[in-house]
Amino acid sequence: MISATSLAALMFVTGPPAGPEPSGSASLTIVVDDAGTRVHNKGSSWVSVTPNAPGKTTVVSPGAKEDFTGGPDVQQGPAPTPPPVAVASRTLAAPSLQSPNDGEKVKLKTTDKGPGQVTLTWTPVAGAREYEVEYTVDKGKAISLRAARAEAKLPPIPSGKVAWAVRSVGEGATSEQSARRWFELQTEDIKLDVKPPTGWK
């Protein structure tokens, strides 16, 4: 049996290295396995064997056996594809909300400078360049704003239930949204204390 992984290239010759060619037909057996390549020349003709591995040509005489096990196995075909290298995907953690507390009643006073503003805070996240805050008032339309630090001051908003959540934003990555909280905003109008004029004449 001749295999494609044979370590030897075989060639019949017309005679021995010296002298006339013996009469008779050639019969050759080649066995290739993990142990190497073995050649058994059962015929009457001389056989020249050249291993694929580094080595010299060997002449196998009629009836002789040769064992070629010194060279490495030669594999044909394309080289096996190396396994893919796992590349860790970059992810960011979602922030943990700090204040206001969930369900807290927040009271703001309106001053002569305008309505009061609520400040939201959360824990900083490693790798985050900024944060995306999303909030709604009384289940209205969601409003988004960006913050460079782990806090954001909301614009003046009316009284009501405010729900809010935050995402971390980094280089080519955005976290999942944090757990959503809500607080009840209560604004107090400014009280003007006007005294009647005195000393009119």
Side-chain angles (χ1 to χ4, degrees):
M1 177 180 180
I2 301 178
S3 171
T5 59
S6 175
L7 296 179
L10 306 177
M11 178 180 67
F12 289 105
V13 297
T14 57
E21 178 183 359
S23 61
S25 61
S27 176
L28 186 67
T29 299
I30 302 174
V31 179
V32 181
D33 56 24
D34 292 340
T37 303
R38 294 184 294 276
V39 177
H40 182 193
N41 185 5
K42 296 181 179 181
S44 58
S45 299
W46 294 70
V47 177
S48 176
V49 181
T50 303
N52 290 336
K56 62 182 180 178
T57 300
T58 302
V59 178
V60 182
S61 61
K65 298 180 180 180
E66 289 289 342
D67 192 357
F68 299 91
T69 59
D73 191 11
V74 178
Q75 296 184 355
Q76 297 181 356
T81 303
V85 179
V87 178
S89 58
R90 186 175 182 181
T91 58
L92 285 177
S96 296
L97 306 185
Q98 289 186 327
S99 65
N101 294 322
D102 197 29
E104 181 181 349
K105 292 184 178 181
V106 179
K107 295 182 179 181
L108 293 179
K109 291 184 178 181
T110 302
T111 66
D112 54 352
K113 295 181 180 180
Q117 293 177 261
V118 180
T119 299
L120 310 178
T121 63
W122 54 88
T123 56
V125 174
R129 290 191 170 186
E130 60 180 355
Y131 302 91
E132 182 181 79
V133 181
E134 183 181 283
Y135 69 95
T136 60
V137 180
D138 288 336
K139 298 182 180 180
K141 182 180 179 180
I143 302 173
S144 296
L145 56 88
R146 295 289 180 112
R149 299 183 299 171
E151 65 177 31
K153 182 174 288 188
L154 299 183
I157 55 178
S159 299
K161 288 187 177 181
V162 181
W164 63 292
V166 183
R167 284 187 177 93
S168 305
V169 180
E171 183 66 30
T174 302
S175 76
E176 297 291 331
Q177 196 173 67
S178 68
R180 186 172 292 270
R181 280 187 180 182
W182 70 274
F183 60 91
E184 185 174 352
L185 180 62
Q186 299 175 347
T187 58
E188 297 179 359
D189 295 333
I190 186 172
K191 295 182 179 179
L192 299 177
D193 188 9
V194 180
K195 296 182 179 179
T198 59
W200 289 90
K201 293 182 181 181

